[in-house]
């Protein structure tokens, strides 16, 4: 089971770019890297997913180095509404391999 | 709109009582999951199901039971054997991965908060 390690918390200010790095040293060949966002008393929401190199969508970018042992979620120009917990998961075909760690609590300040 | 509906939003259990949490999805997803989340913690997998009439234990299945009689529904029963049931329970669903092994994102409901009276 590929476990992940993330910082417990991060602080940022509105308008800044935020980068959250996740370590997953024992990622398997078929595993994808997926990031979720969770607000209090709500279910997690899918943000972005990638396998290698860089993936970008309308809300975030995901950078994955060649060895795939880590990944970085990049949130451009955060706002107060981006204050949430962000989870990094690795898993793939066998979805039961998903592991939700404690996530990174991002606090965006005005 | 398609999505996952969990009910009730809040639930209270008396000692020795079984309670059932509802989860319904209209996304036509094959896979469904139940997670438990304790305060300040991540999600832990209780049970999951890939197909109707089949389900598998997750990491913390003791004291819980599930059924999957319909594709759309995956109810979770918290039995009296679960001695510490107070938690936030989340249901999710996803498509199954195809031959390309690409992981399929999970779609979550808004959860049920269970407390002990």
């Amino acid at each position: 089971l590929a476990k992940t390690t993330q910082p417990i918390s991060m602080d940022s200010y509105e308008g800044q770019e935020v980068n959250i790095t996740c370590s997953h040293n024992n990622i398997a060949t078929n595993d994808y890297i997926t990031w979720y966002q969770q607000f209090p008393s709500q279910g997690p929401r899918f943000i972005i997913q990638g396998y290698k190199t860089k993936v970008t969508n309308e809300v975030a970018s995901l950078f994955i180095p060649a060895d795939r042992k880590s990944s970085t979620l990049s949130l451009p120009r955060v706002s107060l509404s981006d204050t949430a917990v962000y989870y990094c998961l690795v898993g793939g075909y066998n979805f039961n391999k998903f592991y939700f760690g404690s996530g990174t609590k991002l606090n965006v300040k005005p | 709109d398609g999505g996952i509906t969990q009910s009730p939003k809040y639930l209270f259990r008396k000692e020795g009582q079984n309670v059932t949490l509802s989860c319904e999805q209209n996304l036509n997803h094959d896979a469904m999951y139940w997670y438990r989340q304790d305060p300040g913690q991540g999600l832990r997998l209780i049970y999951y199901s890939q197909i109707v009439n089949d389900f598998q234990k997750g990491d913390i299945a003791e004291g819980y039971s599930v059924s999957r009689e319909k594709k759309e529904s995956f109810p979770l029963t918290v039995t009296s054997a679960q001695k510490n049931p107070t938690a936030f329970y989340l249901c999710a669903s996803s498509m199954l991965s195809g031959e390309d092994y690409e992981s399929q994102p999970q779609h979550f409901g808004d959860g049920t908060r269970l407390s002990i009276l």
Side-chain angles (χ1 to χ4, degrees), chain A residues 5-6 11-12 17-18 21 25 30 48 52 57 66 70 74 81 93 96 98 101 109:
Chain A
T5 302
Q6 304 173 232
D11 289 332
S12 182
E17 178 184 76
V18 171
T21 297
N25 291 321
N30 291 334
I48 196 167
K52 60 181 179 181
N57 62 21
S70 67
S74 181
S81 63
Y93 187 74
N96 54 307
F98 281 135
K109 303 175 183 179

Side-chain angles (χ1 to χ4, degrees), chain A residues 1 30 32 34 36 38 41-46 49 87 91-96 98-102, chain B residues 9 31 33 35 37 41-43 48 50 88 90 96-98 100-103 105-106 108-110 113:
Chain A
L1 184 64
N30 291 334
Y32 278 70
T34 311
Y36 287 83
Q38 186 181 26
S41 298
Q42 294 185 23
R45 182 177 69 95
F46 171 82
Q49 176 174 286
Y87 295 97
Y93 187 74
N94 294 320
F95 58 82
N96 54 307
F98 281 135
Y99 170 77
F100 275 88
S102 296
Chain B
K9 192 171 180 65
Y33 318 73
Y35 292 90
Q37 187 172 34
Q41 304 296 314
L43 282 67
Y48 62 96
Q50 299 184 61
F88 188 48
L90 287 158
L96 292 177
S97 296
D100 59 359
Y101 294 96
E102 181 168 358
S103 171
Q106 296 183 19
F108 284 83
D110 283 335
R113 193 168 298 280

Side-chain angles (χ1 to χ4, degrees), chain A residues 62-73:
Chain A
L62 178 59
F63 298 91
I64 305 169
D67 66 6
R68 303 199 330 122
K69 293 185 182 300
S70 67
S71 59
T72 298
L73 173 72

